[in-house]
Amino acid sequence: MNAVVADLETQLSQSTSHPQRLGVLHRLYLTLCKTDLLRAREVAQTAVLEFSPQLEPLQKAVAWLDWGDCHLRLGELEQAREIMNGALRLSRGASYALGEAQALGALAQIAQAQNDLPQALEYRQSALGILAQIKTGPLVIHDPLSFGMQVRSLEASLVEGIAAAQEAFGNYPEAAKYALRGLNLRRELADHAEQSQGLTLLGRLYLEMGEYGGAIRVYEESLELAQRGGNASAEAGALLNLGTAYSRLGRHDQALVRQQEALNLAQARGLQGLQAKALEQLGQTQVILGNPTQALEWLRRGRQLYRQLGSRVGEGRVLLQLGLALQQLGELSEAVETLQQAQGAAEGLGLRQLKLEAHQALSRVYESAFNPAEALRHLRIAVELERTQFQERQSAQTSSLLSSFALEQARQQSEDANQRNLELAAVIEQLEQANERLRESDVDKSRLLEELRSRSAELERLARQDSLTRLNNRRYLEEHLAREFAASRRYRYPLTVALMDIDHFKQINDRFSHPVGDDVLRVVAVILAAGCRGTDFAARYGGEEFALVLTQTDPAGAWTACERIRQQIEGYAWADLHPGLTVTVSFGLCGDPDLAHHEKLLAVADAELYAAKRAGRNRVHPLPH
């Protein structure tokens, strides 16, 4: 028992009133939840069950928030959701705005863990709305001394949760935007550990995008901040993140060094949760290196520690790695039994990714054991799980992506038309006024001509946007592609052009009507624009053809980006626009730096697009080398 816990236990034994005891229990829970979840659960349960009848609504809300948070940390999602809904009702009844936002944030974590990303986003947006109102109006403040920090820290967590959801959608530019916003909020707290935590999400985004060098730089900065602030927990977490990045980069020896450093630090400071995680990662790295004997030693210690902590989620992950290590040793029967335990844990906790990986591993083990029937059965389950997850992820992504589009489509079209009419009418009126003034006097001719040129430039700008899809038009594409091509030649960075065509678009118009075809063009344009990074741009090339210019991207990277967009378009719920409607697209790519000019890029991309059509459509051509 560390000194802080011992001091709080002493305070608890000396407390007499119920509110005083509850305050000590609350602080004791916040301390224990980082090191001893089982003891933390006892404390939270004591606050709820023993003191609840004597507590005011506000005090009950605080106790229930701790109780629900503990179940969430233990991976008991259904119990956590029920308790957090109770905490939400109590907080609202007590006008406890911060507690209401905390409950919504926890419910968002539960929804995201259960793969309900739209619901998670809705909870977080509601919580952020509450935090935005906290600065105005009378509020009940549970802890005035730390209230401002609590609000800012919670806001950062909510924003980073939105970033994590966008990351799950594969919408990395949007995820990065929210991650940077969260990091800025944490920097305002002037707390090194908070800033270190904020950098963790940015590092993970770098990993997901394959920018391993960038991830290492971010994690090293995170480590430096944690060390500067003297926060052992943040330092151990940063070391583990660095280990993950080095492992992804294939530098497993360096990964082991960082993971061992994290383990030593966690052991020295009594950080059992991080100690278990370090043991898990050390075992996983040894599995990757093909050292199953060493892996088993780390993993068994990690499993035992996770059990002591009551972390069923951590134990389930370790069981998966144990099964893989046992397979490498040729202990196939024991490997099957262990992987089945991992599968059972995943099903019980609703951990769908772990369940998928367990079935994949079982398929490989049965294949090694020359049991093709069982290998095929588990493989089919894994394929179906992966397909379901992919469809749900794409559906959630496009639902989130297009929600504003669906709500504002008519208004935007009306505003576009009205705005253009107003601008044109204003220009015409100004032209008429200018002509009248010219007839009256020659004194201001030069000034009026300059005014006419300025208004003509405005009309020119309006002429560069496609009115139906709101994308850039072909004229814009030609001008900007020429500049990007010249810059790529001068500074020697890769540039890839993609041409995309909606498959069988004429049949869509003929079968479902031209208005439906227009809606298809708009939706495809939204998905295409969302797939662009800040430096890329999309344009309507003509009819049902679109162009995508990917700067500083080689053909292999462009193929990955376009394949993601192709899958999103294919997986979109087109039947919501019209029953029986399905839409697919084909891509042609060109990133040859040795071509004479930018027009050749478009010509070669167009030839590759036709090759994709000849090969059966609904594909990105050519395949990466």
Side-chain angles (χ1 to χ4, degrees):
M1 184 183 300
N2 63 41
V4 176
V5 172
D7 180 57
L8 288 170
E9 294 278 14
T10 301
Q11 292 181 41
L12 184 63
S13 65
Q14 297 173 350
S15 301
T16 54
S17 68
H18 291 309
Q20 187 180 19
R21 286 177 63 81
L22 178 66
V24 177
L25 285 169
H26 174 60
R27 294 194 297 275
L28 183 57
Y29 170 75
L30 293 178
T31 303
L32 287 169
C33 70
K34 301 173 183 177
T35 58
D36 189 347
L37 275 176
L38 294 181
R39 173 72 179 116
R41 179 163 59 182
E42 292 176 8
V43 170
Q45 192 168 345
T46 298
V48 169
L49 299 182
E50 293 188 17
F51 295 100
S52 188
Q54 294 83 21
L55 299 178
E56 297 296 325
L58 170 60
Q59 296 167 333
K60 286 184 181 180
V62 173
W64 278 60
L65 284 166
D66 288 347
W67 195 24
D69 177 72
C70 187
H71 282 282
L72 179 54
R73 289 173 184 268
L74 287 166
E76 298 166 347
L77 301 183
E78 291 303 323
Q79 299 94 318
R81 178 161 53 188
E82 182 179 351
I83 295 168
M84 279 301 178
N85 277 318
L88 181 62
R89 290 191 295 270
L90 288 167
S91 297
R92 286 172 174 168
S95 299
Y96 180 28
L98 180 59
E100 185 179 350
Q102 288 172 333
L104 287 168
L107 288 168
Q109 290 183 55
I110 296 165
Q112 186 152 339
Q114 295 180 329
N115 212 34
D116 190 352
L117 298 179
Q119 182 64 72
L121 285 171
E122 184 178 335
Y123 280 136
R124 289 190 174 107
Q125 294 290 4
S126 298
L128 286 171
I130 293 169
L131 294 183
Q133 296 173 7
I134 275 181
K135 294 181 181 178
T136 61
L139 295 170
V140 177
I141 299 176
H142 175 65
D143 186 354
L145 293 177
S146 62
F147 182 72
M149 290 188 65
Q150 282 183 290
V151 170
R152 191 56 54 84
S153 182
L154 177 58
E155 184 180 2
S157 296
L158 291 168
V159 168
E160 288 166 352
I162 294 175
Q166 295 294 347
E167 176 192 5
F169 290 151
N171 190 359
Y172 298 123
E174 196 72 6
K177 180 180 76 175
Y178 280 101
L180 288 169
R181 178 180 163 190
L183 179 58
N184 288 334
L185 287 167
R186 294 192 184 280
R187 282 176 172 158
E188 290 176 14
L189 292 169
D191 183 291
H192 292 307
E194 289 277 356
Q195 293 177 48
S196 178
Q197 183 178 341
L199 287 166
T200 296
L201 178 57
L202 279 178
R204 193 170 74 231
L205 285 173
Y206 273 113
L207 288 180
E208 291 296 329
M209 293 185 292
E211 298 285 347
Y212 303 131
I216 289 173
R217 288 192 298 273
V218 169
Y219 287 146
E220 284 177 341
E221 182 182 352
S222 174
L223 176 61
E224 181 183 348
L225 283 167
Q227 291 171 335
R228 195 185 309 165
N231 189 300
S233 177
E235 183 179 349
L239 286 167
L240 289 175
N241 288 332
L242 272 170
T244 299
Y246 281 126
S247 185
R248 292 278 192 94
L249 200 56
R251 291 153 64 175
H252 301 298
D253 290 341
Q254 288 175 280
L256 288 172
V257 170
R258 291 304 195 181
Q259 290 159 356
Q260 184 67 62
E261 289 176 354
L263 177 61
N264 295 341
L265 179 60
Q267 287 175 330
R269 298 298 182 89
L271 304 172
Q272 291 182 305
L274 286 165
Q275 184 180 341
K277 191 171 182 180
L279 289 166
E280 175 191 347
Q281 290 195 10
L282 281 163
Q284 184 175 9
T285 304
Q286 293 291 0
V287 169
I288 293 171
L289 289 170
N291 300 325
T293 302
Q294 181 63 61
L296 286 175
E297 179 185 342
W298 296 124
L299 292 169
R300 283 169 174 159
R301 286 175 57 191
R303 182 187 181 188
Q304 182 181 4
L305 193 49
Y306 275 131
R307 274 186 166 179
Q308 291 174 6
L309 292 169
S311 176
R312 296 167 61 200
V313 176
E315 186 180 0
R317 293 196 308 265
V318 168
L319 284 168
L320 176 66
Q321 296 301 321
L322 279 169
L324 297 176
L326 289 166
Q327 180 191 10
Q328 289 181 355
L329 283 171
E331 303 289 344
L332 301 184
S333 297
E334 192 175 352
V336 167
E337 181 181 350
T338 304
L339 290 171
Q340 287 174 341
Q341 291 177 24
Q343 175 197 329
E347 289 177 350
L349 295 169
L351 303 174
R352 302 167 78 177
Q353 183 61 31
L354 179 60
K355 182 179 177 181
L356 166 63
E357 292 176 9
H359 280 291
Q360 290 173 332
L362 280 165
S363 176
R364 293 192 295 269
V365 173
Y366 277 117
E367 185 178 359
S368 300
F370 303 102
N371 189 339
E374 279 298 298
L376 181 59
R377 184 175 73 85
H378 284 284
L379 180 60
R380 284 175 174 167
I381 294 173
V383 169
E384 181 61 24
L385 285 170
E386 193 166 22
R387 185 188 66 81
T388 301
Q389 286 188 29
F390 174 79
Q391 289 179 339
E392 290 177 352
R393 186 165 58 249
Q394 296 305 311
S395 177
Q397 178 183 12
T398 50
S399 174
S400 171
L401 177 68
L402 299 171
S403 59
S404 58
F405 169 78
L407 291 172
E408 299 184 8
Q409 180 181 7
R411 183 183 64 79
Q412 287 177 343
Q413 292 174 359
S414 176
E415 285 184 358
D416 284 349
N418 290 337
Q419 184 64 28
R420 289 174 187 276
N421 289 336
L422 288 171
E423 289 173 336
L424 288 171
V427 171
I428 291 170
E429 182 181 354
Q430 290 165 3
L431 287 172
E432 290 175 350
Q433 293 173 357
N435 285 329
E436 180 65 26
R437 290 197 296 271
L438 281 171
R439 283 193 295 269
E440 292 175 355
S441 173
D442 292 333
V443 176
D444 295 326
K445 281 184 179 180
S446 60
R447 180 180 60 80
L448 293 172
L449 287 171
E450 182 61 29
E451 183 178 344
L452 289 175
R453 281 193 289 270
S454 174
R455 294 300 173 182
S456 296
E458 288 186 42
L459 291 174
E460 183 75 11
R461 177 183 59 79
L462 292 172
R464 295 183 182 183
Q465 186 183 67
D466 179 61
S467 60
L468 177 66
T469 63
R470 298 174 62 84
L471 291 179
N472 304 307
N473 62 16
R474 185 165 181 168
R475 179 176 179 178
Y476 178 97
L477 170 70
E478 294 281 354
E479 292 175 356
H480 285 260
L481 178 57
R483 285 199 289 270
E484 289 293 345
F485 182 82
S488 71
R489 295 286 290 271
R490 185 180 307 114
Y491 300 110
R492 299 184 181 279
Y493 64 73
L495 173 71
T496 302
V497 170
L499 286 183
M500 184 192 81
D501 185 83
I502 300 176
D503 297 331
H504 304 299
F505 185 72
K506 183 177 183 303
Q507 295 179 17
I508 293 174
N509 280 332
D510 293 345
R511 181 181 174 188
F512 300 102
S513 79
H514 285 273
V516 171
D518 288 345
D519 284 341
V520 169
L521 289 169
R522 294 187 189 100
V523 173
V524 167
V526 170
I527 296 174
L528 185 62
C532 292
R533 303 167 303 174
T535 56
D536 304 335
F537 66 91
R540 188 178 180 190
Y541 194 60
E544 67 272 23
E545 276 193 328
F546 297 82
L548 182 60
V549 177
L550 300 109
T551 61
Q552 300 186 32
T553 306
D554 60 19
W559 187 94
T560 300
C562 292
E563 175 62 12
R564 185 183 302 119
I565 294 170
R566 184 197 66 76
Q567 292 175 1
Q568 291 170 359
I569 292 172
E570 184 181 25
Y572 178 67
W574 294 105
D576 291 347
L577 284 181
H578 197 289
L581 175 64
T582 59
V583 178
T584 61
V585 296
S586 302
F587 281 88
L589 308 180
C590 179
D592 187 350
D594 298 323
L595 295 177
H597 47 77
H598 72 280
E599 293 175 349
K600 280 287 188 181
L601 279 175
L602 288 168
V604 175
D606 191 56
E608 295 293 352
L609 173 59
Y610 277 95
K613 292 180 179 180
R614 288 194 299 271
R617 292 184 168 84
N618 191 24
R619 65 195 64 225
V620 183
H621 197 275
L623 292 172
H625 299 298

